[in-house]
Amino acid sequence: MSGTDTVVQHVRVVVVGSGFGGLGAAVRLRQEGVTDFLVLERAGSVGGTWRDNSYPGCACDVPSHLYSFSFAPNPDWPRTFSGQPEIRAYLERIADRFQLRPHLRFDHEVQGARWDAAASRWELSTSQGVYTADVMVAACGPLSDPSVPDLPGLADFPGKVFHSARWDHDYDLTGKRVAVVGTGASAIQIVPMIQPKVERLVLLQRTPPWIMPRMDRDITSAERRLYRRVPAAQRALRAALWSIRESQVGAFVKRPGMLKAAQALAKRNIDKHIKDPALRARLTPDYSFGCKRVLLSNTYYPALAQPNVDLVASGLKEVRGSTVVAADGTEHEVDAIIFGTGFHVTDMPIGSRITGAAGRTLGEEWKDGMAALRGSTVSGFPNLLFVIGPNTGLGNSSMVLMIESQLNYLADYLRRLDASGAAALDATPEAQRRWNAEVQRRMARTVWNNGGCRSWYLDGNGNNTVLWPGTTAHFRRETRSVDLAEYDLVQTPATAPVTV
Ligand SMILES: Cc1cc2nc3c(=O)[nH]c(=O)nc-3n(C[C@H](O)[C@H](O)[C@H](O)COP(=O)(O)OP(=O)(O)OC[C@H]3O[C@@H](n4cnc5c(N)ncnc54)[C@H](O)[C@@H]3O)c2cc1C
């Protein structure tokens, strides 16, 4: 902020982002009686992930009755795994129902945030001016900044290029030759949707995923009526969905050997749909089930078996004119390239924009790997709380459960901050170190670290700074309340006495 910038508004709490995390934080703040807060959102509407990912076939892969807020059950989910339009509409309704609209500021991109030690507050430069806040909640999303590989020749490609999270709905794929790069969660939803309409689909696969059948179906009107009339029935369903996923965690975290049976099922899924032995071999992973995110689909393999699909078992190396060239030398001329190459996860862009008490950015602080205390606070960054911070991701259950745990922590943080009389709380380096040492100790036995794959859960040093190595119940317990022994109390420096 330059000396001439005026502050648009000062608030008690500023929330950055309006996806599940930011909206959840806003609801929780209101429930806690905090009304002096703003939600700054760079886009023009709420929804985060579910606003940005509008590609054909986009849907959740955790059942909707679990992938939604516990405090706002939706008896009208249309399918067991609802699609992006329904999830986005649900989040819009959350903004209305919980009276969040007056707090929302759209088209406000946070370009920088600096801890002002003299005033004990965060100073945020946004695309619409400067805001200040006592407490900042970063709910910028773990999967919100698309990652597109920097490939030779890509800039000169004469056709259409876009990322799955920035789908160009004005571009008609009908009759086109299309390269899809990547075989992650988004790509496997896209491929079956576009395969029937394109002339040729070239799928560039670096590593095949393990894919299980998707138990997706319409939720009948009778079921919906039941959930509307008997909310306890919906709660019971949610509890059952939750328990099943909780019971699976041990296999991923402590006893990967137990995943062998699931791997055999996933192998049978390939064999059932793919009759060509060579294609089958290319689609069969050479690493353990669960090491990368397990995907769900009934339509992906059948689509790949169609004659207009070429599966290139190699990553994209370069683009030469309108030809995509794979690392194995295979060449295909295409009209469009769609990147299903994921997001900046372990190098989250907001990191380089947040500057802490010592004048260092979070990105600098995390150059050897992301780390926080209880996935929420970072030493040297007073009164900054993450929603979905380091090591809070899940491999097999609903992220909304983790978000709600972090909202409990946020609520208790504000209560204790008020009660302490301090201007800010700052996680001690020792508490943060202890927490992360324990997380990494538990991580050492997981299939994510030992399954023989290289996934987006791992950072450049091979450390898993993304996932939580435990049950959601365990994380709930760990974030129920703030332990003040883990924090230094920061007092506002006394203002110098004025001599007359
Ligand atoms: C295609 C897809 C499917 C998924 N399916 C599931 C699923 O089935 N189950 C599951 O548990 N999880 C799923 N996820 C993970 C999903 O990201 C989380 O469940 C959840 O939606 C994250 O919410 P969030 O609010 O933390 O982040 P987001 O939804 O990403 O929201 C972050 C918001 O912050 C805004 N923002 C970012 N930076 C700035 C800035 N500098 N200034 C202002 N605003 C900013 C963004 O515009 C965005 O609106 C999926 C993710 C993707 C991409």
Side-chain angles (χ1 to χ4, degrees), residues 284-304:
T284 305
D286 62 359
Y287 58 85
S288 303
F289 180 94
C291 183
K292 280 168 159 285
R293 191 176 177 93
V294 176
L295 308 180
L296 307 176
S297 179
N298 301 331
T299 51
Y300 178 68
Y301 291 137
L304 293 192

mmCIF file with all atom_site columns, all heavy atoms in Angstrom, residues 284-304:
data_model
loop_
_atom_site.group_PDB
_atom_site.id
_atom_site.type_symbol
_atom_site.label_atom_id
_atom_site.label_alt_id
_atom_site.label_comp_id
_atom_site.label_asym_id
_atom_site.label_entity_id
_atom_site.label_seq_id
_atom_site.pdbx_PDB_ins_code
_atom_site.Cartn_x
_atom_site.Cartn_y
_atom_site.Cartn_z
_atom_site.occupancy
_atom_site.B_iso_or_equiv
_atom_site.pdbx_formal_charge
_atom_site.auth_seq_id
_atom_site.auth_comp_id
_atom_site.auth_asym_id
_atom_site.auth_atom_id
_atom_site.pdbx_PDB_model_num
ATOM 1   N N   . THR A 1 284 ? -3.768  -50.202 -17.193 1.00 0.00 ? 284 THR A N   1
ATOM 2   C CA  . THR A 1 284 ? -3.599  -50.826 -15.872 1.00 0.00 ? 284 THR A CA  1
ATOM 3   C C   . THR A 1 284 ? -2.453  -50.148 -15.115 1.00 0.00 ? 284 THR A C   1
ATOM 4   O O   . THR A 1 284 ? -1.301  -50.194 -15.558 1.00 0.00 ? 284 THR A O   1
ATOM 5   C CB  . THR A 1 284 ? -3.314  -52.338 -16.025 1.00 0.00 ? 284 THR A CB  1
ATOM 6   O OG1 . THR A 1 284 ? -4.365  -52.906 -16.798 1.00 0.00 ? 284 THR A OG1 1
ATOM 7   C CG2 . THR A 1 284 ? -3.246  -53.021 -14.666 1.00 0.00 ? 284 THR A CG2 1
ATOM 8   N N   . PRO A 1 285 ? -2.772  -49.533 -13.988 1.00 0.00 ? 285 PRO A N   1
ATOM 9   C CA  . PRO A 1 285 ? -1.719  -48.835 -13.218 1.00 0.00 ? 285 PRO A CA  1
ATOM 10  C C   . PRO A 1 285 ? -0.656  -49.807 -12.709 1.00 0.00 ? 285 PRO A C   1
ATOM 11  O O   . PRO A 1 285 ? -0.950  -50.973 -12.429 1.00 0.00 ? 285 PRO A O   1
ATOM 12  C CB  . PRO A 1 285 ? -2.493  -48.217 -12.048 1.00 0.00 ? 285 PRO A CB  1
ATOM 13  C CG  . PRO A 1 285 ? -3.918  -48.159 -12.501 1.00 0.00 ? 285 PRO A CG  1
ATOM 14  C CD  . PRO A 1 285 ? -4.103  -49.347 -13.393 1.00 0.00 ? 285 PRO A CD  1
ATOM 15  N N   . ASP A 1 286 ? 0.564   -49.281 -12.561 1.00 0.00 ? 286 ASP A N   1
ATOM 16  C CA  . ASP A 1 286 ? 1.641   -50.125 -12.030 1.00 0.00 ? 286 ASP A CA  1
ATOM 17  C C   . ASP A 1 286 ? 1.979   -49.732 -10.587 1.00 0.00 ? 286 ASP A C   1
ATOM 18  O O   . ASP A 1 286 ? 3.048   -50.007 -10.091 1.00 0.00 ? 286 ASP A O   1
ATOM 19  C CB  . ASP A 1 286 ? 2.891   -50.021 -12.920 1.00 0.00 ? 286 ASP A CB  1
ATOM 20  C CG  . ASP A 1 286 ? 3.442   -48.600 -12.968 1.00 0.00 ? 286 ASP A CG  1
ATOM 21  O OD1 . ASP A 1 286 ? 2.847   -47.707 -12.323 1.00 0.00 ? 286 ASP A OD1 1
ATOM 22  O OD2 . ASP A 1 286 ? 4.469   -48.375 -13.644 1.00 0.00 ? 286 ASP A OD2 1
ATOM 23  N N   . TYR A 1 287 ? 1.053   -49.026 -9.957  1.00 0.00 ? 287 TYR A N   1
ATOM 24  C CA  . TYR A 1 287 ? 1.263   -48.626 -8.564  1.00 0.00 ? 287 TYR A CA  1
ATOM 25  C C   . TYR A 1 287 ? 0.050   -49.083 -7.740  1.00 0.00 ? 287 TYR A C   1
ATOM 26  O O   . TYR A 1 287 ? -0.969  -49.517 -8.305  1.00 0.00 ? 287 TYR A O   1
ATOM 27  C CB  . TYR A 1 287 ? 1.427   -47.094 -8.476  1.00 0.00 ? 287 TYR A CB  1
ATOM 28  C CG  . TYR A 1 287 ? 0.241   -46.340 -9.036  1.00 0.00 ? 287 TYR A CG  1
ATOM 29  C CD1 . TYR A 1 287 ? -0.875  -46.076 -8.239  1.00 0.00 ? 287 TYR A CD1 1
ATOM 30  C CD2 . TYR A 1 287 ? 0.196   -45.913 -10.361 1.00 0.00 ? 287 TYR A CD2 1
ATOM 31  C CE1 . TYR A 1 287 ? -1.982  -45.413 -8.758  1.00 0.00 ? 287 TYR A CE1 1
ATOM 32  C CE2 . TYR A 1 287 ? -0.897  -45.248 -10.870 1.00 0.00 ? 287 TYR A CE2 1
ATOM 33  C CZ  . TYR A 1 287 ? -1.980  -45.003 -10.068 1.00 0.00 ? 287 TYR A CZ  1
ATOM 34  O OH  . TYR A 1 287 ? -3.083  -44.364 -10.586 1.00 0.00 ? 287 TYR A OH  1
ATOM 35  N N   . SER A 1 288 ? 0.167   -48.981 -6.436  1.00 0.00 ? 288 SER A N   1
ATOM 36  C CA  . SER A 1 288 ? -0.904  -49.511 -5.574  1.00 0.00 ? 288 SER A CA  1
ATOM 37  C C   . SER A 1 288 ? -2.175  -48.672 -5.637  1.00 0.00 ? 288 SER A C   1
ATOM 38  O O   . SER A 1 288 ? -2.099  -47.438 -5.718  1.00 0.00 ? 288 SER A O   1
ATOM 39  C CB  . SER A 1 288 ? -0.446  -49.549 -4.120  1.00 0.00 ? 288 SER A CB  1
ATOM 40  O OG  . SER A 1 288 ? 0.707   -50.309 -4.016  1.00 0.00 ? 288 SER A OG  1
ATOM 41  N N   . PHE A 1 289 ? -3.279  -49.386 -5.537  1.00 0.00 ? 289 PHE A N   1
ATOM 42  C CA  . PHE A 1 289 ? -4.590  -48.755 -5.440  1.00 0.00 ? 289 PHE A CA  1
ATOM 43  C C   . PHE A 1 289 ? -4.586  -47.781 -4.260  1.00 0.00 ? 289 PHE A C   1
ATOM 44  O O   . PHE A 1 289 ? -4.155  -48.133 -3.162  1.00 0.00 ? 289 PHE A O   1
ATOM 45  C CB  . PHE A 1 289 ? -5.615  -49.869 -5.200  1.00 0.00 ? 289 PHE A CB  1
ATOM 46  C CG  . PHE A 1 289 ? -7.031  -49.420 -5.070  1.00 0.00 ? 289 PHE A CG  1
ATOM 47  C CD1 . PHE A 1 289 ? -7.870  -49.397 -6.181  1.00 0.00 ? 289 PHE A CD1 1
ATOM 48  C CD2 . PHE A 1 289 ? -7.545  -49.043 -3.835  1.00 0.00 ? 289 PHE A CD2 1
ATOM 49  C CE1 . PHE A 1 289 ? -9.185  -48.990 -6.064  1.00 0.00 ? 289 PHE A CE1 1
ATOM 50  C CE2 . PHE A 1 289 ? -8.867  -48.640 -3.709  1.00 0.00 ? 289 PHE A CE2 1
ATOM 51  C CZ  . PHE A 1 289 ? -9.693  -48.610 -4.834  1.00 0.00 ? 289 PHE A CZ  1
ATOM 52  N N   . GLY A 1 290 ? -5.055  -46.552 -4.502  1.00 0.00 ? 290 GLY A N   1
ATOM 53  C CA  . GLY A 1 290 ? -5.145  -45.574 -3.404  1.00 0.00 ? 290 GLY A CA  1
ATOM 54  C C   . GLY A 1 290 ? -3.992  -44.595 -3.380  1.00 0.00 ? 290 GLY A C   1
ATOM 55  O O   . GLY A 1 290 ? -4.082  -43.545 -2.749  1.00 0.00 ? 290 GLY A O   1
ATOM 56  N N   . CYS A 1 291 ? -2.881  -44.919 -4.067  1.00 0.00 ? 291 CYS A N   1
ATOM 57  C CA  . CYS A 1 291 ? -1.710  -44.028 -4.026  1.00 0.00 ? 291 CYS A CA  1
ATOM 58  C C   . CYS A 1 291 ? -2.064  -42.688 -4.646  1.00 0.00 ? 291 CYS A C   1
ATOM 59  O O   . CYS A 1 291 ? -1.786  -41.630 -4.089  1.00 0.00 ? 291 CYS A O   1
ATOM 60  C CB  . CYS A 1 291 ? -0.549  -44.684 -4.757  1.00 0.00 ? 291 CYS A CB  1
ATOM 61  S SG  . CYS A 1 291 ? 0.955   -43.711 -4.701  1.00 0.00 ? 291 CYS A SG  1
ATOM 62  N N   . LYS A 1 292 ? -2.723  -42.743 -5.812  1.00 0.00 ? 292 LYS A N   1
ATOM 63  C CA  . LYS A 1 292 ? -3.319  -41.533 -6.398  1.00 0.00 ? 292 LYS A CA  1
ATOM 64  C C   . LYS A 1 292 ? -4.800  -41.582 -6.058  1.00 0.00 ? 292 LYS A C   1
ATOM 65  O O   . LYS A 1 292 ? -5.323  -42.654 -5.727  1.00 0.00 ? 292 LYS A O   1
ATOM 66  C CB  . LYS A 1 292 ? -3.182  -41.563 -7.921  1.00 0.00 ? 292 LYS A CB  1
ATOM 67  C CG  . LYS A 1 292 ? -1.825  -41.147 -8.440  1.00 0.00 ? 292 LYS A CG  1
ATOM 68  C CD  . LYS A 1 292 ? -1.766  -41.508 -9.908  1.00 0.00 ? 292 LYS A CD  1
ATOM 69  C CE  . LYS A 1 292 ? -0.752  -40.751 -10.641 1.00 0.00 ? 292 LYS A CE  1
ATOM 70  N NZ  . LYS A 1 292 ? -0.929  -39.402 -10.994 1.00 0.00 ? 292 LYS A NZ  1
ATOM 71  N N   . ARG A 1 293 ? -5.478  -40.474 -6.218  1.00 0.00 ? 293 ARG A N   1
ATOM 72  C CA  . ARG A 1 293 ? -6.897  -40.449 -5.901  1.00 0.00 ? 293 ARG A CA  1
ATOM 73  C C   . ARG A 1 293 ? -7.634  -41.524 -6.713  1.00 0.00 ? 293 ARG A C   1
ATOM 74  O O   . ARG A 1 293 ? -7.474  -41.614 -7.933  1.00 0.00 ? 293 ARG A O   1
ATOM 75  C CB  . ARG A 1 293 ? -7.483  -39.079 -6.243  1.00 0.00 ? 293 ARG A CB  1
ATOM 76  C CG  . ARG A 1 293 ? -8.882  -38.879 -5.707  1.00 0.00 ? 293 ARG A CG  1
ATOM 77  C CD  . ARG A 1 293 ? -9.391  -37.479 -5.968  1.00 0.00 ? 293 ARG A CD  1
ATOM 78  N NE  . ARG A 1 293 ? -10.761 -37.348 -5.502  1.00 0.00 ? 293 ARG A NE  1
ATOM 79  C CZ  . ARG A 1 293 ? -11.107 -36.916 -4.295  1.00 0.00 ? 293 ARG A CZ  1
ATOM 80  N NH1 . ARG A 1 293 ? -10.169 -36.563 -3.448  1.00 0.00 ? 293 ARG A NH1 1
ATOM 81  N NH2 . ARG A 1 293 ? -12.370 -36.842 -3.936  1.00 0.00 ? 293 ARG A NH2 1
ATOM 82  N N   . VAL A 1 294 ? -8.444  -42.341 -6.025  1.00 0.00 ? 294 VAL A N   1
ATOM 83  C CA  . VAL A 1 294 ? -9.223  -43.367 -6.711  1.00 0.00 ? 294 VAL A CA  1
ATOM 84  C C   . VAL A 1 294 ? -10.419 -42.682 -7.365  1.00 0.00 ? 294 VAL A C   1
ATOM 85  O O   . VAL A 1 294 ? -11.130 -41.904 -6.727  1.00 0.00 ? 294 VAL A O   1
ATOM 86  C CB  . VAL A 1 294 ? -9.699  -44.448 -5.713  1.00 0.00 ? 294 VAL A CB  1
ATOM 87  C CG1 . VAL A 1 294 ? -10.595 -45.463 -6.419  1.00 0.00 ? 294 VAL A CG1 1
ATOM 88  C CG2 . VAL A 1 294 ? -8.506  -45.140 -5.063  1.00 0.00 ? 294 VAL A CG2 1
ATOM 89  N N   . LEU A 1 295 ? -10.622 -42.951 -8.642  1.00 0.00 ? 295 LEU A N   1
ATOM 90  C CA  . LEU A 1 295 ? -11.689 -42.271 -9.376  1.00 0.00 ? 295 LEU A CA  1
ATOM 91  C C   . LEU A 1 295 ? -12.883 -43.198 -9.561  1.00 0.00 ? 295 LEU A C   1
ATOM 92  O O   . LEU A 1 295 ? -12.758 -44.421 -9.415  1.00 0.00 ? 295 LEU A O   1
ATOM 93  C CB  . LEU A 1 295 ? -11.148 -41.789 -10.722 1.00 0.00 ? 295 LEU A CB  1
ATOM 94  C CG  . LEU A 1 295 ? -9.853  -40.958 -10.638 1.00 0.00 ? 295 LEU A CG  1
ATOM 95  C CD1 . LEU A 1 295 ? -9.397  -40.522 -12.019 1.00 0.00 ? 295 LEU A CD1 1
ATOM 96  C CD2 . LEU A 1 295 ? -10.041 -39.741 -9.727  1.00 0.00 ? 295 LEU A CD2 1
ATOM 97  N N   . LEU A 1 296 ? -14.017 -42.585 -9.860  1.00 0.00 ? 296 LEU A N   1
ATOM 98  C CA  . LEU A 1 296 ? -15.252 -43.352 -10.024 1.00 0.00 ? 296 LEU A CA  1
ATOM 99  C C   . LEU A 1 296 ? -15.833 -43.077 -11.406 1.00 0.00 ? 296 LEU A C   1
ATOM 100 O O   . LEU A 1 296 ? -16.036 -41.917 -11.761 1.00 0.00 ? 296 LEU A O   1
ATOM 101 C CB  . LEU A 1 296 ? -16.296 -42.934 -8.979  1.00 0.00 ? 296 LEU A CB  1
ATOM 102 C CG  . LEU A 1 296 ? -15.877 -42.945 -7.512  1.00 0.00 ? 296 LEU A CG  1
ATOM 103 C CD1 . LEU A 1 296 ? -17.006 -42.417 -6.636  1.00 0.00 ? 296 LEU A CD1 1
ATOM 104 C CD2 . LEU A 1 296 ? -15.516 -44.369 -7.091  1.00 0.00 ? 296 LEU A CD2 1
ATOM 105 N N   . SER A 1 297 ? -16.105 -44.129 -12.163 1.00 0.00 ? 297 SER A N   1
ATOM 106 C CA  . SER A 1 297 ? -16.766 -43.916 -13.465 1.00 0.00 ? 297 SER A CA  1
ATOM 107 C C   . SER A 1 297 ? -17.287 -45.235 -14.019 1.00 0.00 ? 297 SER A C   1
ATOM 108 O O   . SER A 1 297 ? -16.644 -46.274 -13.886 1.00 0.00 ? 297 SER A O   1
ATOM 109 C CB  . SER A 1 297 ? -15.787 -43.309 -14.466 1.00 0.00 ? 297 SER A CB  1
ATOM 110 O OG  . SER A 1 297 ? -16.436 -43.125 -15.707 1.00 0.00 ? 297 SER A OG  1
ATOM 111 N N   . ASN A 1 298 ? -18.450 -45.160 -14.657 1.00 0.00 ? 298 ASN A N   1
ATOM 112 C CA  . ASN A 1 298 ? -18.978 -46.317 -15.399 1.00 0.00 ? 298 ASN A CA  1
ATOM 113 C C   . ASN A 1 298 ? -18.840 -46.099 -16.896 1.00 0.00 ? 298 ASN A C   1
ATOM 114 O O   . ASN A 1 298 ? -19.107 -47.000 -17.678 1.00 0.00 ? 298 ASN A O   1
ATOM 115 C CB  . ASN A 1 298 ? -20.473 -46.511 -15.088 1.00 0.00 ? 298 ASN A CB  1
ATOM 116 C CG  . ASN A 1 298 ? -20.706 -46.721 -13.613 1.00 0.00 ? 298 ASN A CG  1
ATOM 117 O OD1 . ASN A 1 298 ? -19.843 -47.247 -12.911 1.00 0.00 ? 298 ASN A OD1 1
ATOM 118 N ND2 . ASN A 1 298 ? -21.868 -46.315 -13.131 1.00 0.00 ? 298 ASN A ND2 1
ATOM 119 N N   . THR A 1 299 ? -18.447 -44.888 -17.286 1.00 0.00 ? 299 THR A N   1
ATOM 120 C CA  . THR A 1 299 ? -18.504 -44.541 -18.705 1.00 0.00 ? 299 THR A CA  1
ATOM 121 C C   . THR A 1 299 ? -17.126 -44.279 -19.331 1.00 0.00 ? 299 THR A C   1
ATOM 122 O O   . THR A 1 299 ? -17.025 -44.207 -20.553 1.00 0.00 ? 299 THR A O   1
ATOM 123 C CB  . THR A 1 299 ? -19.379 -43.279 -18.902 1.00 0.00 ? 299 THR A CB  1
ATOM 124 O OG1 . THR A 1 299 ? -18.909 -42.265 -17.986 1.00 0.00 ? 299 THR A OG1 1
ATOM 125 C CG2 . THR A 1 299 ? -20.843 -43.559 -18.614 1.00 0.00 ? 299 THR A CG2 1
ATOM 126 N N   . TYR A 1 300 ? -16.110 -44.148 -18.497 1.00 0.00 ? 300 TYR A N   1
ATOM 127 C CA  . TYR A 1 300 ? -14.778 -43.793 -19.018 1.00 0.00 ? 300 TYR A CA  1
ATOM 128 C C   . TYR A 1 300 ? -14.195 -44.925 -19.884 1.00 0.00 ? 300 TYR A C   1
ATOM 129 O O   . TYR A 1 300 ? -13.839 -44.705 -21.046 1.00 0.00 ? 300 TYR A O   1
ATOM 130 C CB  . TYR A 1 300 ? -13.860 -43.473 -17.840 1.00 0.00 ? 300 TYR A CB  1
ATOM 131 C CG  . TYR A 1 300 ? -12.429 -43.123 -18.189 1.00 0.00 ? 300 TYR A CG  1
ATOM 132 C CD1 . TYR A 1 300 ? -12.124 -41.948 -18.854 1.00 0.00 ? 300 TYR A CD1 1
ATOM 133 C CD2 . TYR A 1 300 ? -11.375 -43.961 -17.818 1.00 0.00 ? 300 TYR A CD2 1
ATOM 134 C CE1 . TYR A 1 300 ? -10.797 -41.609 -19.157 1.00 0.00 ? 300 TYR A CE1 1
ATOM 135 C CE2 . TYR A 1 300 ? -10.057 -43.639 -18.107 1.00 0.00 ? 300 TYR A CE2 1
ATOM 136 C CZ  . TYR A 1 300 ? -9.771  -42.465 -18.774 1.00 0.00 ? 300 TYR A CZ  1
ATOM 137 O OH  . TYR A 1 300 ? -8.464  -42.138 -19.063 1.00 0.00 ? 300 TYR A OH  1
ATOM 138 N N   . TYR A 1 301 ? -14.122 -46.129 -19.337 1.00 0.00 ? 301 TYR A N   1
ATOM 139 C CA  . TYR A 1 301 ? -13.538 -47.230 -20.110 1.00 0.00 ? 301 TYR A CA  1
ATOM 140 C C   . TYR A 1 301 ? -14.338 -47.524 -21.380 1.00 0.00 ? 301 TYR A C   1
ATOM 141 O O   . TYR A 1 301 ? -13.746 -47.685 -22.453 1.00 0.00 ? 301 TYR A O   1
ATOM 142 C CB  . TYR A 1 301 ? -13.399 -48.493 -19.250 1.00 0.00 ? 301 TYR A CB  1
ATOM 143 C CG  . TYR A 1 301 ? -12.350 -48.387 -18.149 1.00 0.00 ? 301 TYR A CG  1
ATOM 144 C CD1 . TYR A 1 301 ? -12.601 -48.854 -16.874 1.00 0.00 ? 301 TYR A CD1 1
ATOM 145 C CD2 . TYR A 1 301 ? -11.101 -47.829 -18.409 1.00 0.00 ? 301 TYR A CD2 1
ATOM 146 C CE1 . TYR A 1 301 ? -11.646 -48.760 -15.862 1.00 0.00 ? 301 TYR A CE1 1
ATOM 147 C CE2 . TYR A 1 301 ? -10.141 -47.723 -17.414 1.00 0.00 ? 301 TYR A CE2 1
ATOM 148 C CZ  . TYR A 1 301 ? -10.423 -48.195 -16.140 1.00 0.00 ? 301 TYR A CZ  1
ATOM 149 O OH  . TYR A 1 301 ? -9.472  -48.100 -15.152 1.00 0.00 ? 301 TYR A OH  1
ATOM 150 N N   . PRO A 1 302 ? -15.675 -47.589 -21.304 1.00 0.00 ? 302 PRO A N   1
ATOM 151 C CA  . PRO A 1 302 ? -16.432 -47.809 -22.558 1.00 0.00 ? 302 PRO A CA  1
ATOM 152 C C   . PRO A 1 302 ? -16.122 -46.736 -23.604 1.00 0.00 ? 302 PRO A C   1
ATOM 153 O O   . PRO A 1 302 ? -16.021 -47.035 -24.794 1.00 0.00 ? 302 PRO A O   1
ATOM 154 C CB  . PRO A 1 302 ? -17.896 -47.746 -22.111 1.00 0.00 ? 302 PRO A CB  1
ATOM 155 C CG  . PRO A 1 302 ? -17.856 -48.174 -20.676 1.00 0.00 ? 302 PRO A CG  1
ATOM 156 C CD  . PRO A 1 302 ? -16.560 -47.657 -20.135 1.00 0.00 ? 302 PRO A CD  1
ATOM 157 N N   . ALA A 1 303 ? -15.934 -45.484 -23.167 1.00 0.00 ? 303 ALA A N   1
ATOM 158 C CA  . ALA A 1 303 ? -15.623 -44.418 -24.139 1.00 0.00 ? 303 ALA A CA  1
ATOM 159 C C   . ALA A 1 303 ? -14.252 -44.669 -24.780 1.00 0.00 ? 303 ALA A C   1
ATOM 160 O O   . ALA A 1 303 ? -14.073 -44.477 -25.988 1.00 0.00 ? 303 ALA A O   1
ATOM 161 C CB  . ALA A 1 303 ? -15.639 -43.061 -23.457 1.00 0.00 ? 303 ALA A CB  1
ATOM 162 N N   . LEU A 1 304 ? -13.293 -45.123 -23.956 1.00 0.00 ? 304 LEU A N   1
ATOM 163 C CA  . LEU A 1 304 ? -11.936 -45.345 -24.492 1.00 0.00 ? 304 LEU A CA  1
ATOM 164 C C   . LEU A 1 304 ? -11.901 -46.504 -25.486 1.00 0.00 ? 304 LEU A C   1
ATOM 165 O O   . LEU A 1 304 ? -11.003 -46.590 -26.324 1.00 0.00 ? 304 LEU A O   1
ATOM 166 C CB  . LEU A 1 304 ? -10.955 -45.638 -23.350 1.00 0.00 ? 304 LEU A CB  1
ATOM 167 C CG  . LEU A 1 304 ? -10.670 -44.495 -22.381 1.00 0.00 ? 304 LEU A CG  1
ATOM 168 C CD1 . LEU A 1 304 ? -9.489  -44.834 -21.497 1.00 0.00 ? 304 LEU A CD1 1
ATOM 169 C CD2 . LEU A 1 304 ? -10.384 -43.193 -23.127 1.00 0.00 ? 304 LEU A CD2 1
#
